[in-house]
Amino acid sequence: MTTLALNNVRPYGEDVLNLLIDVTSGTIAEVSDTPFTDADEVIDGEGNVLLPGLVDMHVHLREPGREDTETIATGSDAAAKGGFTAVFTMANTNPVIDQPFLAEAVWSKGQEYGKCDVYPVGSITQGLEGAQLTEIGLMARSGVRMFSDDGKCVNDPQLMRRAIEYAKAHDVVLAQHAEDHRLTGSASAHEGEQAARLGLRGWPRVAEESIVARDAIMTRDYGGRYHLCHASTEGTVELLRFAKSQGIEVTAEVTPHHLMLTDDKLATYDGLFRVNPPLREARDAEALKQALLDGTVDVVATDHAPHGSEDKCVEFEHAKPGMLGLETSLAVVHRIFVETGLADWRFVAKVMSERPAEILRLEDQGRPIAAGEPANLVLVDPDSSWTARGEEMASKASNTPYEGIEFTARVVGTWLRGKTTYTEKDSQ
């Protein structure tokens, strides 16, 4: 067998250990207090933090249809550079992923490239038109684990009820983009003082919260596994907390940008900060942080959304919503939770790897760092200062909202089933 030694690493930021990886089988062969010296390749981890490979439940890789902004290949590169070994790419492509053969093509292309497991998300409705359900059963049999009309909400309550029932029958996750379109219209900013000051049409919290409440009740009555995309308000946190207290099978994600950024960023009218749902106020960000800490919100998901400059360097209300996230998410979570002492690396592993893998029932992702487990791993230097620059991203696009911000945690290596998919020298 071909072997790789990862010596002098700190799993979960704890005691120093050494790993011997069987690259042939893609598993961790042995964990020891003693360094391995006879492996085919030996890497000195220099005391850096080792985590299970990250899992992102929510990305947009734009292929098919907008390969000018991202492809499965460039998105996989960005994922590997960010420490991810699995991502779920949303269905709002052109054509929409609403047929089994399209989902199978996305999966096959990701596997062929080999940098990251790229799971296709099937659309809930045909063409994302909100009128007729897709063949959820056929797509589930083709391996689709999650369905979403992300970018749009399934506003029709009768259609959403049927979707919940079908999803339950096929034991797949239904992920909702919670937005009552009748309340948002042409809104581009959070409804608050900042939007009023800037003359931007406001997007009220109730547009999200009303859908969350409706869907939680439907899930209570009709069952199934319901997942909320990009929770963004204090009220949504309260609704999720109530739903979970009632035993409703609801999970939720929060994005790094909704944790770190607020609507004060809109003062310059920079289209980089246009996102859906919009950046909210400080009290919303604080509520989301606490909800992630106490488990009311389950995971961090990036909502990685590449756009070209022609879609961002325009008037704010005309800018396309979305931000890059794959290459900065770990650094953002580290800054908010680990640097401040709010949480440790075990928490990071939970919300960025273990819990998303559990929700999506991935057998070989988000696993413990132990002998016999899959060698899906990320090595992080927690004391390596770097500055986010869009032009230096592995993504095909450059629309990062963190331009010029300095972070202190950097991914230095990523392995997918023992195969090296990224090392720090790749970006030098």
Side-chain angles (χ1 to χ4, degrees):
M1 68 179 179
T2 303
T3 55
L4 164 68
L6 287 181
N7 291 330
N8 190 21
V9 296
R10 293 188 298 129
Y12 309 101
E14 297 169 357
D15 295 338
V16 171
L17 291 172
N18 308 278
L19 275 67
L20 182 66
I21 295 171
D22 179 352
V23 179
T24 305
S25 67
T27 61
I28 300 171
E30 189 177 347
V31 178
S32 173
D33 294 329
T34 305
F36 297 96
T37 57
D38 295 330
D40 296 300
E41 181 181 2
V42 177
I43 295 176
D44 181 1
E46 300 180 353
N48 288 322
V49 175
L50 189 69
L51 301 175
L54 308 183
V55 178
D56 195 338
M57 295 182 66
H58 188 154
V59 304
H60 299 268
L61 298 190
R62 305 302 188 204
E63 186 177 359
R66 284 303 306 269
E67 289 86 353
D68 56 314
T69 58
E70 194 77 289
T71 65
I72 290 171
T74 59
S76 294
D77 288 339
K81 187 176 178 182
F84 290 90
T85 52
V87 299
F88 282 70
T89 184
M90 287 293 171
N92 60 338
T93 50
N94 184 19
V96 172
I97 303 174
D98 58 6
Q99 298 290 334
F101 76 92
L102 291 168
E104 291 164 3
V106 168
W107 170 257
S108 296
K109 198 157 191 177
Q111 290 296 293
E112 181 181 350
Y113 192 65
K115 289 286 189 74
C116 182
D117 285 343
V118 179
Y119 288 89
V121 177
S123 66
I124 296 173
T125 66
Q126 294 182 16
L128 301 182
E129 294 176 354
Q132 187 172 349
L133 293 180
T134 55
E135 292 286 352
I136 292 175
L138 289 177
M139 295 186 74
R141 285 196 286 274
S142 292
V144 178
R145 297 166 181 261
M146 183 163 69
F147 291 80
S148 179
D149 274 10
D150 184 67
K152 297 181 179 180
C153 178
V154 182
N155 271 283
D156 185 331
Q158 184 69 285
L159 194 67
M160 188 60 185
R161 172 188 172 174
R162 297 305 181 204
I164 289 172
E165 291 174 325
Y166 274 101
K168 178 185 178 182
H170 296 284
D171 194 25
V172 292
V173 175
L174 210 59
Q176 176 72 293
H177 170 115
E179 175 196 349
D180 190 328
H181 297 155
R182 296 166 297 184
L183 292 167
T184 57
S186 57
S188 59
H190 167 67
E191 184 179 89
E193 292 182 10
Q194 184 75 311
R197 186 179 302 113
L198 299 174
L200 299 172
R201 180 164 180 183
W203 184 308
R205 292 181 178 92
V206 68
E208 174 174 307
E209 294 162 8
S210 59
I211 298 296
V212 174
R214 181 201 76 177
D215 290 353
I217 294 169
M218 284 190 179
T219 304
R220 178 198 66 190
D221 290 351
Y222 304 115
R225 295 188 288 145
Y226 175 88
H227 180 76
L228 175 65
C229 297
H230 40 54
S232 74
T233 78
E234 183 180 36
T236 290
V237 168
E238 295 169 357
L239 290 165
L240 289 168
R241 190 166 285 128
F242 171 78
K244 290 192 171 189
S245 74
Q246 301 301 302
I248 302 171
E249 195 165 354
V250 172
T251 57
E253 69 191 39
V254 63
T255 68
H257 50 268
H258 284 113
L259 289 169
M260 182 172 175
L261 307 177
T262 58
D263 66 348
D264 62 351
K265 290 289 187 181
L266 277 52
T268 60
Y269 294 97
D270 190 336
L272 280 175
F273 300 108
R274 173 111 196 254
V275 68
N276 180 355
L279 299 178
R280 303 289 187 180
E281 297 179 61
R283 67 184 175 95
D284 298 290
E286 184 59 31
L288 291 164
K289 291 175 195 174
Q290 294 303 316
L292 191 63
L293 285 167
D294 69 24
T296 301
V297 170
D298 299 81
V299 305
V300 173
T302 66
D303 194 6
H304 175 83
H307 289 295
S309 58
E310 72 278 8
D311 292 324
K312 281 295 188 179
C313 297
V314 295
E315 296 89 346
F316 185 83
E317 53 266 53
H318 297 303
K320 286 195 174 181
M323 305 168 168
L324 296 184
L326 282 168
E327 296 170 63
T328 50
S329 58
L330 183 61
V332 171
V333 171
H334 173 263
R335 165 172 285 190
I336 294 171
F337 296 101
V338 181
E339 280 189 11
T340 60
L342 288 174
D344 58 14
W345 286 105
R346 286 273 181 183
F347 169 81
V348 176
K350 175 184 175 184
V351 300
M352 297 191 73
S353 179
E354 296 165 359
R355 186 69 177 123
E358 179 183 15
I359 292 169
L360 294 162
R361 297 181 180 169
L362 303 180
E363 295 180 357
D364 67 343
Q365 300 282 352
R367 300 294 302 165
I369 299 174
E373 295 288 355
N376 296 319
L377 303 163
V378 54
L379 189 64
V380 185
D381 184 341
D383 300 304
S384 177
S385 178
W386 65 284
T387 302
R389 302 289 185 196
E391 63 182 12
E392 297 174 1
M393 298 289 177
S395 172
K396 204 168 189 177
S398 60
N399 56 308
T400 174
Y402 309 108
E403 184 72 32
I405 294 179
E406 187 174 307
F407 295 103
T408 58
R410 179 197 291 270
V411 172
V412 295
T414 307
W415 294 268
L416 175 65
R417 289 182 286 277
K419 174 187 174 184
T420 303
T421 57
Y422 172 80
T423 61
E424 190 176 17
K425 64 182 179 182
D426 293 343
S427 60
Q428 294 176 346

